[in-house]
Amino acid sequence: MKNYSFTINGEAISTENVFDVKNPATGTLLGYASNATKDHVEAAIDAAKVAQPAWAAKSDTERKNVLMQVAQVLTDNTDYLAKWITQEQGKPLAGPGSMFEMEACVGWTQVPASLDLPVEVVFEDDSRRDEMHRKPVGVVGAITPWNWPLMIAIWQIIPALRAGNTVVLKPSEYTTIGTLEMIRLMNTVLPAGVLNTISGGGEVGAMLVEHKDVDKIMFTGSASTARKIIEASSGNMARLTLECGGNDAAIILPGTDIQSKVGDLFWGAFINMGQTCACAKRLYVHEDDYDNVVEALDAVAAQMPMGNGMDEGILLGPIQNKMQYDKVNDLVEDAKANGASVIRGGKSMGGPGYFYPITLLGNVDNGIRIVDEEQFGPVLPIIKYKTVDEAIQKANDTKTGLGGSVWGDDLSLAAKIASRIEAGTVWINQHGAIHPMVPFGGVKDSGYGVEFGVEGLKAVTQPQIISIKKTTLAEA
Ligand code: NAD
């Protein structure tokens, strides 16, 4: 069984101290990845620090060209990397699965690569001219989760490189190999040291975020880990972009035509088996529409084939890991014990693999854990409301604020309701519809800072003001 290397300064490094990477659909071992030591973390950060000035000194055009070559490498290796995503993470090759994730990797490379941050004249009069220039921050430490492993790595890496930073990335210990392989391939066109990886568990991530030479952390993962990173940043003053989880509410306005929207609603809740930061995780439905909505969602769920994502025609895979599988089980059992009615699913399917059926729960409300906590799995609690005000109040009754959605036929009314939801993004008649040009980030415990678009690019720079005194006629 192969031991997959991480990449430091363009070189493949592996150790004898390895960990297993397993297929969540079958439980079989896929390969080993190396546990990086403190010396590896030091070496990776050092390589990034040494490579950074020359990378930043390249012209914008040169960096753009190299990143477009990276996009080509990703395109050329789509099949290989998509198979890694499916085998390691579980999402199927088909549908909104791993081929879709690879398309996103290419798009989220090409778009930031093509963006510019021109010098802004922020003030000018007869006596002075003040310009804002955007400089790279330096060495970026990137930490990724296991749900969209390659796409989220790309979200963190590409804007950082475009702006002239260099990167050290630690992938999730659950989905390590695909990311290590993607970065090995990207290194075939990047200068040595510009993009490095180290692998291992949270302790390796901690060594990275605490290091004195790391200038910025891009983190996607849980709020509890984000808090540890905030504490670590008191030492090195690293700038932080923190993308944590959410417990997104979707509100269907009274009388909405559901048939035209139910497909989007289903995938808004169940893409990647609900293991998506900005999935619809609670659904609020007017009491008069409840039966219609339940019937429509149930009918879509009934048509969705679940299985090993390498098999043709499969649209839903397993839950990625045992910890998450146990959490989903626990939340559903708790809901049932508290009177939830099971509309569909509601019971684990047994092994091999962490398969759990699409689950729709009724007779639930705020105050039950399945509604109050992020399930990050294939379970949707459907909550009846009497008034839209009540639905908004319940939607906002959470410590997180990543996304939300409003579903309705009157778009201007839906937009008014959307503006009352406390979340970084509120979609109308879609959920989780991110785009590489549109800033994305959370409020409350969902983190801070934004990714994507021009705002996301700014987030991996620091402003420098060049303030020029003008020579006046009197002085001349
Ligand atoms: P996690 O916080 O357990 O792990 C994320 C990463 O942090 C892993 O690579 C892990 O090894 C690393 N890590 C753990 N301890 C660390 C430490 N002390 N210092 C530095 N790094 C450390 O999260 P997870 O279980 O992998 O991901 C699931 C969570 O991520 C969910 O809450 C989900 O909603 C969230 N998420 C958010 C977004 C977003 O964009 N907002 C996207 C995807 C996932």
Side-chain angles (χ1 to χ4, degrees):
M1 192 60 69
K2 191 169 168 182
N3 179 8
Y4 288 82
S5 309
F6 49 83
T7 305
I8 297 179
N9 208 22
E11 300 202 351
I13 313 275
S14 52
T15 65
E16 283 180 10
N17 176 11
V18 296
F19 58 96
D20 297 351
V21 179
K22 290 188 174 165
N23 185 333
T26 59
T28 52
L29 186 66
L30 294 165
Y32 302 112
S34 291
N35 274 306
T37 62
K38 190 159 191 280
D39 287 348
H40 293 124
V41 177
E42 292 277 351
I45 295 170
D46 194 48
K49 195 177 174 191
V50 169
Q52 197 269 329
W55 177 247
K58 285 186 186 296
S59 68
D60 282 316
T61 309
E62 282 175 302
R63 279 203 305 277
K64 284 180 177 186
N65 287 343
V66 175
L67 293 178
M68 286 304 180
Q69 288 174 40
V70 167
Q72 191 57 50
V73 167
L74 295 173
T75 304
D76 295 345
N77 291 282
T78 284
D79 288 349
Y80 174 70
L81 293 172
K83 280 184 190 149
W84 267 116
I85 297 173
T86 294
Q87 292 182 99
E88 197 178 47
Q89 199 279 331
K91 65 172 70 74
L93 286 170
S98 55
M99 292 299 279
F100 168 83
E101 181 165 349
M102 284 310 302
E103 274 170 40
C105 288
V106 174
W108 259 274
T109 300
Q110 290 167 331
V111 171
S114 66
L115 293 178
D116 284 299
L117 291 176
V119 173
E120 283 174 61
V121 177
V122 289
F123 182 76
E124 184 161 26
D125 67 7
D126 290 345
S127 66
R128 62 187 288 157
R129 176 184 160 90
D130 296 87
E131 300 170 350
M132 183 152 70
H133 296 242
R134 292 273 168 188
K135 303 282 207 178
V137 186
V139 173
V140 172
I143 309 258
T144 52
W146 46 260
N147 56 343
W148 293 88
L150 272 56
M151 182 177 78
I152 291 175
I154 288 289
W155 290 355
Q156 300 180 345
I157 294 166
I158 300 297
L161 297 187
R162 170 65 193 91
N165 305 283
T166 51
V167 175
V168 178
L169 182 136
K170 191 205 82 70
S172 167
E173 52 274 42
Y174 293 109
T175 50
T176 303
I177 298 174
T179 314
L180 295 185
E181 284 296 274
M182 177 176 77
I183 290 177
R184 174 181 68 77
L185 291 162
M186 290 164 78
N187 263 273
T188 59
V189 293
L190 288 165
V194 163
L195 176 58
N196 310 276
T197 38
I198 41 172
S199 50
E203 66 293 347
V204 177
M207 286 189 254
L208 174 62
V209 301
E210 284 163 9
H211 197 281
K212 65 176 175 33
D213 289 334
V214 170
D215 302 293
K216 162 104 197 179
I217 300 295
M218 304 283 292
F219 169 77
T220 302
S222 63
S224 59
T225 306
R227 287 196 162 82
K228 292 182 191 156
I229 292 174
I230 293 168
E231 280 172 26
S233 74
S234 71
N236 56 13
M237 285 238 189
R239 279 66 181 138
L240 305 178
T241 298
L242 303 173
E243 298 282 5
C244 310
N247 190 9
D248 294 11
I251 300 176
I252 304 181
L253 296 180
T256 298
D257 169 38
I258 192 66
Q259 283 306 334
S260 60
K261 302 175 184 68
V262 68
D264 288 330
L265 182 62
F266 178 85
W267 285 117
F270 293 109
I271 187 168
N272 198 27
M273 291 293 278
Q275 302 165 114
T276 299
C277 49
C279 257
K281 291 172 181 151
R282 304 173 279 154
L283 179 61
Y284 292 91
V285 181
H286 189 267
E287 56 187 1
D288 293 346
D289 301 327
Y290 181 83
D291 290 347
N292 268 347
V293 169
V294 163
E295 196 184 317
L297 264 177
D298 193 40
V300 175
Q303 295 162 10
M304 294 292 170
M306 182 181 286
N308 185 333
M310 297 296 283
D311 297 342
E312 212 171 306
I314 294 297
L315 291 175
L316 296 167
I319 292 177
Q320 203 279 326
N321 58 65
K322 175 124 184 13
M323 168 203 62
Q324 198 58 43
Y325 180 77
D326 288 345
K327 183 174 170 190
V328 167
N329 251 314
D330 181 41
L331 287 173
V332 173
E333 291 308 317
D334 177 79
K336 288 194 285 191
N338 281 286
S341 59
V342 177
I343 299 159
R344 156 172 294 274
K347 199 166 179 299
S348 66
M349 295 159 82
Y354 303 124
F355 287 98
Y356 198 95
I358 294 292
T359 295
L360 302 175
L361 296 179
N363 198 31
V364 279
D365 205 345
N366 288 46
I368 294 187
R369 286 179 60 211
I370 191 67
V371 179
D372 291 354
E373 296 178 22
E374 182 190 34
Q375 66 275 46
F376 217 59
V379 182
L380 185 65
I382 307 176
I383 303 129
K384 283 184 193 172
Y385 69 82
K386 287 184 195 305
T387 67
V388 173
D389 281 348
E390 177 199 343
I392 294 169
Q393 182 268 319
K394 286 183 173 170
N396 289 337
D397 181 21
T398 169
K399 289 183 83 179
T400 59
L402 189 58
S405 60
V406 179
W407 301 73
D409 299 323
D410 177 342
L411 297 184
S412 66
L413 174 65
K416 275 189 197 136
I417 305 297
S419 73
R420 294 174 59 194
I421 294 183
E422 296 162 4
T425 304
V426 187
W427 291 279
I428 293 172
N429 294 336
Q430 51 185 2
H431 199 116
I434 51 172
H435 186 281
M437 278 305 290
V438 181
F440 175 67
V443 301
K444 302 192 207 172
D445 278 7
S446 291
Y448 45 72
V450 291
E451 295 181 280
F452 313 163
V454 172
E455 293 305 315
L457 195 54
K458 286 180 184 169
V460 280
T461 66
Q462 49 199 354
Q464 184 186 40
I465 304 298
I466 303 288
S467 182
I468 308 155
K469 178 179 164 102
K470 289 185 174 174
T471 307
T472 60
L473 278 177
E475 287 167 338

